[in-house]
Amino acid sequence: MSTRVELYRGGAPAWDAFVDAQPGATSSHLYAWKLVVKQVYGHDAPYLVALSDDVIAGVLPLVDVRSFAFGRYLVSMPFLNAGGPLGTPEAIQQLTAAARRLAEQRKAQLTELRCTEALELDLPHSSEKVACVLPLPDTGEQLWSALGGKLRSQVRKPQKEGIELRFGADQIEPFYNVFARNMRDLGSPPHPQQFFESIARELGERVWFGCAYLKDVPVAAGCGLAFRDELEMTWASSLRQYNSLAPNMLLYWSFMERAVLQGFKTFNFGRCTPGSGAHRFKLQWGATDVPLYWYRSARQRGASTPRQDSGSLSLATRLWRHVPLPMANLIGARLRGGIPS
């Protein structure tokens, strides 16, 4: 049987049904993201499908990320940690070749396929990022016991200070208030609030928003993506002035406990750089590293997606921390769509 690749012109049901049946699938592969990036950033998302006798044999969600400031990239998937090709070995090869041809046609600087496992692709890959993953037990009591005394005391501390967690779609705005301020303090342009509203609308129950409150003030917040039996904490932030109260410890514990109660088997802390502070924070919960394989095909040697810790973006990061928050949110929302990290 021959396999052909074409632009996917169907709807979400057929696409997601195929994704749900693939062992290497993640929430990043879902059709909903095509709608999110179009609604919020206006990006074209040329989703590719491999067909064998008119039956889906593979899929590759792609987004054409364009910006005047940073250039043009074809990424699967921008803003997320995964999204590379799924399907039969032949389909994966065909989809990858089609993505590279499409990048040439569109004069994209780089094609980047973000995968959670190694693929037999004739492409260089970066493994500079890892995901930190924790198997979850059957009960909250088992999860609590597994933490150890030191971690339990760190979770109890914000509880004793009166910090409490609230979950639900009504937490998007307080989540964003914490997220945007934290991103400004880190020197990074934030996604606009519309981005998270679109995620909530398109992914429904697959997305969790939770906020930690000190009285009525949100001091830490997270956004998790649920897929099958895994919950990934994709975005999490806390306000620096409350660090002494450790609200982020209660935030992560509450997401994990809720995941256990709902029958999830894995908690994914999201990606980070090995050896970083974020990496150490995640490992203390008992998580282990899972390498991420980001395959790249560049039109010019050395091309890569924009990184905040290198070149001119490093200087911009240092300056961004001093921009007034309302201005940072306004300008940052316009810039963020062109940074696929």
Side-chain angles (χ1 to χ4, degrees), residues 6-18:
E6 60 186 45
L7 288 175
Y8 182 69
R9 303 189 187 282
W15 179 280
D16 287 347
F18 180 83

Side-chain angles (χ1 to χ4, degrees), residues 63-139:
V63 177
D64 190 342
V65 180
R66 304 175 65 179
S67 84
F68 177 79
F70 304 112
R72 189 170 191 175
Y73 307 89
L74 205 59
V75 185
S76 175
M77 286 288 289
F79 320 129
L80 302 169
N81 305 329
L86 295 175
T88 66
E90 181 185 0
I92 288 174
Q93 295 292 335
Q94 297 281 5
L95 288 163
T96 301
R100 298 176 70 179
R101 290 194 299 270
L102 187 62
E104 285 292 330
Q105 293 169 8
R106 299 191 177 200
K107 295 182 171 54
Q109 298 164 236
L110 182 77
T111 305
E112 184 171 78
L113 308 179
R114 301 179 177 181
C115 304
T116 56
E117 55 188 26
L119 299 178
E120 295 295 327
L121 298 179
D122 185 23
L123 289 175
H125 72 270
S126 167
S127 295
E128 61 191 31
K129 299 291 185 181
V130 298
C132 294
V133 176
L134 176 70
L136 295 175
D138 295 329
T139 68

Side-chain angles (χ1 to χ4, degrees), residues 14-15 27 35-36 39 43 55 64 66 161 163 168 236 243 263 277 294 297 308 312 340:
W15 179 280
S27 63
L35 307 177
V36 170
Q39 292 168 3
H43 291 327
V55 176
D64 190 342
R66 304 175 65 179
E161 297 291 341
I163 294 177
N243 280 355
W294 289 15
S297 175
Q308 291 173 227
S312 59

